[in-house]
Amino acid sequence: MVHPVSSRPTRLLAVLATAFLAALPARAAEVTNFTLDNGMEVVVLEDDRAPVVVHMVWYRAGSADEPPGRSGIAHYLEHLMFKGTDKRGPREFSDIVAANGGTDNAFTSYDYTAYFQRIAADRLEQMMEMEADRMQNLSLLQTDVVTERTVVLEERNQRTENEPGGLFAEQRRAAQFLNHPYGIPVIGWKHEIEALTVNDAIAFYEEFYAPNNAILVVAGDVEADEVRALAETYYGVIPPNPDLKPRERVSEPPQLAERRLVFEDPRVSQPYVLRTYLAPERDPGDQRDAAALALLREVLGGSGATSVLGQKLQFETQQAIYTSAFYSGGSLDDTTFGLIIVPSEGVSMADAEAALDQTVAEFIETGVDPDQLARIKMQIRASRIYADDNISSLANRYGGALAQGLTVEDVEAWPKILDSITEDEIIAAAKRVFDRDKAVTGWLKAPDPETEAETEAAEVLQ
């Protein structure tokens, strides 16, 4: 039996928590933004609470910027950037960072590639010197290229080829984007990775790895004037690429029909239904639509215990063991809004999908619960305060935004925009985005035993 719960204690807690958060002292990092003469943008986030610094270089070049037929080259080059320069041998960069008590790594996405080190603040100059060195003096040997290509292929095997969910995600995303390179996996298609050459890597490096296509983010125990002087010394002397073209992407044609796919794999132990809709991204100077979608994600599927999908499908009808919604507006071009339901035992995929659709339709008709929205906004403010205590999180927030076309002003305006979004704006965003003609609905499941048996029998007869 389900017992009704009074909303009065929840409202009181929300009021008290909001008052507590409002009373917390402001501890945000001081932000300084400037551009070097060669076009390299610099963001400094001053936070002197610990003698540590995060040094990041973001390139406005990701998998969506790759030439046709060369998928995976952005991620592949990320690996090769650790193979050494004219001054340093393979892996020497990381060895020096580790010897100085720091950590380093890199990552590639659709819209950017980023390299970072977290280290004692008094080692910042050394990090700049080394990162500036590999921005212009990468040295590649044919043996390194072949070896690292094998490493990338093994990474793809582990994360995609051997994971039904990974293969399903690739197929679904390829169906979602009819023309845009967001439909191509970041790691690349296997057959194209196998064909990548050292010349492909060098061409991508020479085109995109230039200061006028890069963003330097330094966060931690530093002063802006100090960072400016070091940046001018090490990065400012690197010539820009005068042939760098404006960042232009192909656009999606009108999507006029829903796409559906069923991906069967005997390794699937838990089936689920997942639908994604084409959705707008965060745009510079115009972030309200994205903010409404970010809150819609939380209202619908942010928490199994309190979200609309969780309360209805996991607790009330018990048709699902898990539900969620997801959306990330952090992209240069249109992104996706997704819904997922993992059916309870005995609930068919068709029934689970129908229950998901019915719950969403009822939500749009009923509207947003003001108390739930107030609680979510309070949780977002709390998460923001905690995130501001992490200089790596700060550096990622600014670097990722700027690499995807936003500005420092957009990043700083985002919390207030989120807090100002109304219930009506969230419902309006839902009505705009939940268009089945712009959606891909996928089922991930194990083959039906009876169908499998029939197939095997037919093969025997042949």
Side-chain angles (χ1 to χ4, degrees):
M1 179 177 181
V2 178
H3 299 280
V5 179
S6 171
S7 64
R8 293 180 62 188
T10 301
R11 292 178 184 176
L12 178 60
L13 286 173
V15 170
L16 292 174
T18 301
F20 169 73
L21 291 173
L24 286 176
R27 301 175 69 181
E30 184 176 341
V31 182
T32 304
N33 181 215
F34 56 90
T35 302
L36 302 180
D37 291 342
N38 59 9
M40 187 174 192
E41 190 167 2
V42 183
V43 179
V44 184
L45 307 166
E46 298 183 48
D47 186 336
D48 62 0
R49 284 174 288 169
V52 178
V53 67
V54 171
H55 171 265
M56 305 189 78
V57 172
W58 299 70
Y59 293 99
R60 295 182 179 91
S63 64
D65 301 295
E66 296 165 341
R70 297 293 183 269
S71 67
I73 192 63
H75 173 253
Y76 183 34
L77 178 58
E78 175 213 312
H79 279 243
L80 293 173
M81 286 288 284
F82 292 88
K83 288 301 180 182
T85 67
D86 297 339
K87 294 174 61 175
R88 296 181 176 88
R91 304 304 306 178
E92 189 176 346
F93 188 115
S94 295
D95 290 342
I96 292 173
V97 174
N100 282 274
T103 58
D104 76 318
N105 214 324
F107 49 88
T108 305
S109 188
Y110 292 102
D111 298 313
Y112 54 72
T113 308
Y115 301 83
F116 68 90
Q117 303 86 42
R118 181 184 175 94
I119 201 163
D122 61 0
R123 303 294 194 274
L124 174 61
E125 182 172 4
Q126 187 174 19
M127 298 303 105
M128 280 205 190
E129 185 275 323
M130 293 196 300
E131 196 68 81
D133 177 39
R134 69 175 173 181
M135 179 183 285
Q136 56 184 330
N137 297 316
L138 182 64
S139 178
L140 297 179
L141 300 175
Q142 184 62 37
T143 53
D144 293 335
V145 172
V146 173
T147 301
E148 206 60 37
R149 188 173 59 201
T150 302
V151 172
V152 172
L153 285 167
E154 182 56 31
E155 182 180 332
R156 181 184 163 84
N157 285 337
Q158 291 179 356
R159 296 184 179 181
T160 306
E161 304 293 343
N162 296 331
E163 289 290 337
L167 292 170
F168 173 60
E170 275 193 351
Q171 296 297 308
R172 176 184 53 77
R173 195 169 182 94
Q176 179 70 76
F177 293 96
L178 304 177
N179 190 44
H180 197 281
Y182 284 169
I184 300 172
V186 172
I187 198 168
W189 298 116
K190 184 176 181 179
H191 68 286
E192 292 187 347
I193 297 172
E194 292 171 337
L196 293 176
T197 69
V198 63
N199 290 334
D200 294 328
I202 291 172
F204 198 82
Y205 174 77
E206 291 181 344
E207 178 175 2
F208 294 112
Y209 280 50
N212 52 325
N213 198 44
I215 303 154
L216 170 65
V217 181
V218 179
D221 189 13
V222 295
E223 294 181 358
D225 289 343
E226 171 199 5
V227 174
R228 182 190 292 269
L230 291 173
E232 288 176 346
T233 298
Y234 294 105
Y235 292 111
V237 296
I238 302 174
N241 176 8
D243 298 322
L244 185 68
K245 298 179 178 62
R247 204 172 194 188
E248 296 178 352
R249 302 268 181 80
V250 297
S251 58
E252 278 291 295
Q255 296 193 358
L256 306 176
E258 179 185 6
R259 281 127 286 157
R260 300 185 64 88
L261 58 96
V262 177
F263 191 92
E264 294 185 340
D265 192 302
R267 297 170 293 180
V268 174
S269 58
Q270 181 62 68
Y272 57 85
V273 180
L274 190 152
R275 179 182 299 131
T276 55
Y277 301 84
L278 201 64
E281 76 285 1
R282 284 172 64 184
D283 288 323
D286 183 15
Q287 302 183 87
R288 292 199 72 83
D289 284 350
L293 289 172
L295 289 171
L296 175 64
R297 171 195 62 206
E298 295 301 317
V299 171
L300 273 180
S303 165
T306 60
S307 67
V308 170
L309 295 178
Q311 285 186 327
K312 178 69 174 182
L313 300 172
Q314 293 176 234
F315 293 96
E316 184 178 329
T317 67
Q318 298 185 358
Q319 292 170 285
I321 60 173
Y322 175 78
T323 57
S324 186
F326 56 92
Y327 167 76
S328 174
S331 64
L332 187 63
D333 302 311
D334 278 351
T335 181
T336 57
F337 190 103
L339 303 171
I340 183 171
I341 178 170
V342 180
S344 300
E345 187 175 357
V347 177
S348 70
M349 301 285 274
D351 287 344
E353 182 183 339
L356 179 69
D357 289 339
Q358 181 180 352
T359 303
V360 171
E362 290 174 354
F363 161 73
I364 291 175
E365 183 67 27
T366 303
V368 177
D369 179 349
D371 291 336
Q372 183 197 17
L373 182 58
R375 182 173 60 251
I376 288 170
K377 288 182 176 180
M378 180 268 293
Q379 291 169 343
I380 290 173
R381 288 193 292 271
S383 297
R384 183 81 174 197
I385 290 172
Y386 296 134
D388 284 347
D389 280 340
N390 186 318
I391 58 173
S392 295
S393 174
L394 275 173
N396 274 282
R397 183 189 308 162
Y398 281 86
L402 269 63
Q404 293 164 148
L406 298 175
T407 66
V408 168
E409 291 73 25
D410 292 321
V411 176
E412 294 176 344
W414 181 248
K416 288 185 178 180
I417 294 174
L418 277 174
D419 207 46
S420 69
I421 296 297
T422 66
E423 294 95 328
D424 288 343
E425 285 180 288
I426 294 172
I427 294 300
K431 289 179 178 178
R432 285 193 300 271
V433 167
F434 293 156
D435 180 351
R436 294 288 282 270
D437 286 342
K438 299 178 181 177
V440 176
T441 304
W443 292 8
L444 176 67
K445 60 192 287 286
D448 182 78
E450 293 183 6
T451 304
E452 229 180 355
E454 292 173 359
T455 302
E456 290 176 359
E459 290 174 350
V460 170
L461 289 174
Q462 290 176 358

